Amino acid sequence: MNKDLPIIIKRVFTNPDPIIWKGIWLSTLDMLLENPRMLEVWLELLNVIKSNYSESLNMPLNQYIKWELKAFVAQIVNLRSKNKNMDDFTDLLQEYLVNKRMILKNELIHNVHRSINEN
């Protein structure tokens, strides 16, 4: 895990449940947590998640962040398993994010794609 990651990211993904986080799930998560180019993505994603939070959701902010971060990683795993090229990956991830009322710059999404597709 990248030592520069925000503490909340470290807390959410330290000791992931082995029932869920195995195979492509765990390898994708590891790539996302280790690659230095993901730091900017995680920081921006946290900002967007926090700005979307509303107390009317009937859950604490930390729980909402945890929920949204895991959903984001699940979407990345889904797209990775479909072997999408950068353009398709970007379009599909943007579509997912828009549905969640989140916006990330395409360059950040390209960083995600590169992070999970580097050899």
Side-chain angles (χ1 to χ4, degrees):
M1 188 176 297
N2 184 332
K3 65 177 178 57
D4 296 324
L5 287 173
I7 291 170
I8 186 77
I9 302 287
K10 290 178 183 179
R11 269 193 245 149
V12 168
F13 293 114
T14 296
N15 300 319
D17 183 345
I19 294 172
I20 298 168
W21 299 98
K22 59 185 174 185
I24 191 170
W25 284 81
L26 184 58
S27 66
T28 303
L29 177 62
D30 286 343
M31 289 176 199
L32 295 172
L33 294 174
E34 291 172 8
N35 196 310
R37 72 167 38 114
M38 282 297 299
L39 184 58
E40 185 180 3
V41 177
W42 289 118
L43 291 170
E44 184 59 26
L45 187 61
L46 281 173
N47 287 334
V48 170
I49 291 169
K50 288 176 184 176
S51 71
N52 282 353
Y53 176 73
S54 167
E55 291 186 17
S56 67
L57 293 171
N58 293 325
M59 72 173 69
L61 175 59
N62 282 344
Q63 182 62 39
Y64 180 70
I65 291 170
K66 180 179 177 180
W67 179 26
E68 291 296 343
L69 290 173
K70 288 184 175 185
F72 177 77
V73 173
Q75 188 64 28
I76 303 303
V77 171
N78 179 41
L79 293 174
R80 180 179 180 216
S81 68
K82 294 178 180 176
N83 295 315
K84 296 295 183 187
N85 65 41
M86 175 123 26
D87 291 337
D88 291 342
F89 181 92
T90 301
D91 291 345
L92 291 169
L93 188 54
Q94 283 291 23
E95 183 179 317
Y96 165 81
L97 292 168
V98 166
N99 287 335
K100 304 281 284 177
R101 298 179 313 122
M102 298 182 188
I103 297 173
L104 291 180
K105 295 177 192 170
N106 280 351
E107 185 54 40
L108 294 178
I109 293 175
H110 294 170
N111 284 346
V112 175
H113 186 268
R114 289 181 195 108
S115 296
I116 61 171
N117 288 292
E118 290 179 337
N119 293 330

